[in-house]
């Protein structure tokens, strides 16, 4: 699946996107899997309450299943008017 990173998440990880092979069942499982790889992921995902996630361009939750998902995007909450 394709994983996209936006704003400061992209800055901490150092990539705008990557292709990931995973057996993760949920978004939270994917985050845990990524964090075991390198320190930069642990830094980016240290506070999940400061992040939002979209699955195939639809806002979702970290406990959402990944079955059939092709794209996961992580980004900070947006503000504005």
């Amino acid at each position: 699946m394709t994983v996209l990173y936006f704003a400061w998440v992209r800055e901490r990880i150092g990539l705008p996107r990557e292709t990931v092979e995973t057996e993760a069942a949920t978004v939270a499982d994917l985050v845990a899997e990524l964090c075991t790889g390198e320190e930069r992921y642990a830094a980016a995902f240290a506070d999940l309450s400061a992040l939002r996630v979209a699955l195939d361009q639809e806002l979702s939750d970290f406990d959402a299943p990944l079955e059939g998902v092709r794209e996961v995007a992580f980004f900070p909450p947006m503000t504005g008017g």
Side-chain angles (χ1 to χ4, degrees), residues 11-32:
E11 292 170 11
R12 290 181 187 173
I13 292 174
L15 297 170
R17 70 172 50 220
E18 64 183 321
T19 301
V20 175
E21 296 290 330
T22 183
E23 296 296 321
T26 66
V27 175
D29 294 339
L30 174 62
V31 168

Side-chain angles (χ1 to χ4, degrees), residues 11-63:
E11 292 170 11
R12 290 181 187 173
I13 292 174
L15 297 170
R17 70 172 50 220
E18 64 183 321
T19 301
V20 175
E21 296 290 330
T22 183
E23 296 296 321
T26 66
V27 175
D29 294 339
L30 174 62
V31 168
E33 191 176 284
L34 291 170
C35 287
T36 63
E38 296 181 40
E39 175 67 27
R40 60 189 174 145
Y41 292 98
F45 295 117
D47 182 8
L48 294 184
S49 69
L51 286 174
R52 299 295 177 263
V53 63
L55 304 179
D56 292 331
Q57 300 184 9
E58 290 190 28
L59 196 58
S60 193
D61 296 313
F62 283 87
D63 60 351

